[in-house]
């Protein structure tokens, strides 16, 4: 009887493992993966490229698609004066047309920007360092723009965020919801460098140097 019971238990375990594996395979089959050129790739290829700093993973055209994008984008806008005018009205001060416009963009609450252990003191220190060095480089400071204010409570007393005027910042520079926050630096002639997703101070400073030349 013990032998029969043991055989039954082994059978149950094998069946359970088989069911779990099938479910895992089914879950993996649910997702489709695309590289930065919008070519479909395997999950392993996707994850390998995703681990590199220059790439960011976002949702594709549907909820079961994952797509890679290049974090940094360079381009040119022809309507910087219009952008200046809208930003000036929103932030309540003039913008020097001979200096870069530096925008930190918050897309709304997500898993990236609502996690972490940062305190108000550490945020003050981080943004204080960001602004001090940015001012040394470009003689200006970032403008903080948001699409959706949910989750911004933790920045009270640290920095002031402003609503995206007529959604112009989003329409010009941020096609998708990029996790955490992003930035764009716009030169006086309209050339710009945008950086998508969570960034370090150094990335913004480097862009400010280039766009301030």
């Amino acid at each position: 009887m013990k032998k029969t019971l043991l055989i039954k238990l082994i059978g149950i375990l094998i069946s359970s493992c088989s069911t779990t594996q099938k479910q895992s395979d089914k879950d993996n089959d649910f997702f489709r993966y695309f590289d930065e050129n919008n070519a479909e790739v395997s999950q392993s290829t996707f994850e390998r490229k995703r681990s590199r700093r220059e790439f960011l993973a976002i949702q594709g055209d549907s909820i079961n698609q994952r797509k890679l994008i290049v974090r940094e984008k360079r381009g040119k806008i022809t309507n910087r004066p219009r952008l200046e005018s809208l930003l000036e009205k929103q932030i309540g001060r003039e913008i020097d047309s001979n200096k870069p416009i530096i925008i930190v963009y918050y897309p709304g609450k997500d898993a990236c920007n609502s996690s972490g252990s940062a305190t108000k003191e550490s945020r003050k220190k981080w943004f204080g360092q960001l602004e001090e060095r940015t001012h040394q480089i470009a003689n200006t400071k970032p403008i903080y723009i948001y699409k959706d204010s949910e989750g911004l409570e933790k920045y009270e007393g640290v920095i002031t965020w402003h609503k995206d005027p007529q959604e112009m910042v989003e329409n010009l520079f941020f096609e998708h919801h990029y996790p955490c926050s992003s930035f764009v630096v716009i030169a006086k002639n309209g050339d710009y460098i945008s950086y998508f997703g969570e960034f370090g101070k150094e990335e913004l400073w480097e862009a400010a140097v280039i766009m301030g030349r």
Side-chain angles (χ1 to χ4, degrees), residues 62-79:
S62 63
I63 60 172
N64 70 324
Q65 292 184 5
R66 298 292 180 267
K67 179 181 178 181
L68 291 174
I69 61 166
V70 179
R71 281 179 176 270
E72 183 179 293
K73 179 179 179 181
R74 300 193 183 202
K76 187 181 184 70
I77 59 172
T78 58
N79 52 354

Side-chain angles (χ1 to χ4, degrees), residues 106 118-124 127 144 146 149-161:
Y106 177 85
T119 63
K120 179 170 287 190
E121 289 71 26
S122 65
R123 290 191 186 96
K124 281 185 177 180
F127 283 100
Y144 302 99
Y146 69 86
S149 63
E150 184 182 6
L152 290 180
E153 301 82 9
K154 59 180 173 288
Y155 293 100
E156 290 180 4
V158 179
I159 55 176
T160 301
W161 293 89

Side-chain angles (χ1 to χ4, degrees), residues 151-209:
L152 290 180
E153 301 82 9
K154 59 180 173 288
Y155 293 100
E156 290 180 4
V158 179
I159 55 176
T160 301
W161 293 89
H162 304 274
K163 179 69 174 176
D164 185 3
Q166 298 182 21
E167 300 179 344
M168 191 170 189
V169 174
E170 178 185 13
N171 291 333
L172 285 174
F173 308 108
F174 304 112
E175 178 183 2
H176 303 285
H177 180 121
Y178 307 106
C180 273
S181 59
S182 304
F183 73 78
V184 61
V185 182
I186 309 142
K188 62 182 181 180
N189 68 349
D191 289 342
Y192 70 85
I193 296 176
S194 55
Y195 191 89
F196 307 129
E198 186 176 15
F199 62 89
K201 298 185 289 289
E202 293 75 13
E203 281 99 3
L204 189 148
W205 292 335
E206 182 179 353
V209 169

Side-chain angles (χ1 to χ4, degrees), residues 7-68:
I7 292 173
K8 287 182 178 180
L9 287 174
I10 292 173
I12 292 171
L13 288 173
I14 292 174
S15 176
S16 176
C17 289
S18 177
T19 301
T20 301
Q21 182 62 47
K22 287 179 180 178
Q23 182 62 44
S24 177
D25 291 342
K26 183 177 178 181
D27 291 342
N28 287 335
D29 289 342
F30 177 74
F31 291 104
R32 298 175 64 193
Y33 301 91
F34 297 83
D35 67 11
E36 71 280 11
N37 298 314
N38 212 34
E40 190 162 3
V41 296
S42 67
Q43 182 182 7
S44 59
T45 297
F46 180 90
E47 295 296 346
R48 185 170 62 252
K49 297 190 76 170
R50 182 186 186 183
S51 65
R52 293 158 55 184
R53 179 67 180 171
E54 64 263 37
F55 293 112
L56 179 69
I58 62 171
Q59 180 178 302
D61 296 333
S62 63
I63 60 172
N64 70 324
Q65 292 184 5
R66 298 292 180 267
K67 179 181 178 181
L68 291 174

